[in-house]
Amino acid sequence: MKMTKSFVATATNAIIATCVAGSAMAADIYVIGGKPDDPFWSRVKMGAEDAGIVAEMQGGSVTWLGPQNYDNLGPDAAELIRQAIDQGADAIVGPDWVPEAMDPAFEAVVAAGIPLVIYNAGGMEATDKLGALNYVGAVDYKSGFAAGEYLGNAGKTNGACVNTLPGAANIEAFCAGFNAGIEAVGGAGSVLQLPATSFGDATAVAQAVRAHLLQNPEIDALFAIGDADTNAAVSGIQQAGKADQVSICGMNFNESILANIQAGTQACAIDQQGYQQGFFAVSILNNYVNYGVTIPTREILTGPGIIDSSNVELVIEGVKAGAR
């Protein structure tokens, strides 16, 4: 039987109505994330807020807390976690970006009896260490490894990871994974480390990439840790006159990244499905607080997936449909 959109909508509304009618309590969920104007984190935020529709219909809420910038990431994020506790959160979602700065705040969450889900960064190692319920996201090292392996298998022999957030554990893991991935197929890896103020600064990243490539002509592969930085690195490659020699892969994607892949100026993007990270993390906690529902699968992986010329058209269709 072919289901029409109206049939699906009616069925979905019926399910939500049943959930609302049977809800034992309302969950006020606080989500710690990146800057809302960060392209990747805007998708994570959308996922969290979409899952929050059900929480709101049950009388609860979803509150997003993000830093103004990434200059002092660990301490600022730790302060947001403590703010969520002080504001009476029934449950908290957070990434373990900088463990040495953030873990004491997460430990305070658990000590206060507040259910916690780690997402986006930290993996099961952080989840188990902190006593959180689950981890939702990709494994950062594996994401970087996938990029390095991909470029190495494409014939590239010398890669550099462009790190614009030094000190962030997930970014360090991206770069370590990238280097290991390209080395696993016979290449060599290194890190171009830039100050945190350069993250999202297209001019700074492009100029740094241009200079690095001109100073190190043996480099034929780059890996960038976010979609904005990837676009800037593509520009830097072009400014260095290396478009035919240097291939790039980057974390996450947006419309311009997909256009890059279509045009052949970018080899691949590593997809960790940010929308799903926000949606699953909030859904897990909402059901746990309201009904005591736990997910039997610990570690819910949302990546890594590889987007390249073989599947970019399909991904574009998914974006148009609102599914990606």
Side-chain angles (χ1 to χ4, degrees), residues 50-198:
D50 282 355
I53 293 172
V54 173
E56 290 166 4
M57 292 181 71
Q58 295 170 340
S61 65
V62 171
T63 300
W64 181 271
L65 299 176
Q68 294 301 307
N69 56 59
Y70 297 134
D71 296 349
N72 196 34
L73 184 60
D76 286 352
E79 181 57 33
L80 293 175
I81 296 166
R82 294 189 177 93
Q83 182 179 330
I85 298 172
D86 293 343
Q87 291 184 6
D90 294 312
I92 293 175
V93 178
D96 199 16
W97 286 318
V98 187
E100 60 270 25
M102 298 174 66
D103 282 2
F106 280 132
E107 289 165 359
V109 172
V110 176
I114 300 171
L116 171 67
V117 164
I118 300 296
Y119 80 147
N120 180 257
M124 286 306 297
E125 180 181 357
T127 299
D128 289 338
K129 178 179 67 174
L130 296 169
L133 292 175
N134 210 333
Y135 174 73
V136 179
V139 176
D140 302 317
Y141 180 89
K142 290 182 179 179
S143 294
F145 190 97
E149 184 179 47
Y150 181 95
L151 292 173
N153 284 332
K156 301 303 176 179
T157 60
N158 197 306
C161 176
V162 183
N163 184 349
T164 53
L165 286 174
N170 60 321
I171 306 304
E172 302 289 348
F174 284 151
C175 288
F178 173 76
N179 289 343
I182 198 167
E183 289 165 5
V185 290
S190 60
V191 178
L192 169 56
Q193 187 157 296
L194 303 179
T197 52
S198 65

Side-chain angles (χ1 to χ4, degrees), residues 290-322:
N290 283 338
Y291 309 113
V293 174
T294 57
I295 304 299
T297 299
R298 296 192 73 239
E299 188 177 41
I300 299 175
L301 297 180
T302 62
I306 294 176
I307 302 170
D308 62 9
S309 59
S310 70
N311 63 356
V312 66
E313 301 294 341
L314 184 61
V315 174
I316 290 171
E317 290 304 312
V319 171
K320 290 178 181 177

Side-chain angles (χ1 to χ4, degrees), residues 205-228:
V205 173
Q207 290 178 346
V209 166
R210 175 185 178 277
H212 194 67
L213 292 178
L214 292 175
Q215 293 165 8
N216 300 274
E218 70 279 7
I219 293 176
D220 59 4
L222 291 178
F223 177 59
I225 54 92
D227 41 17

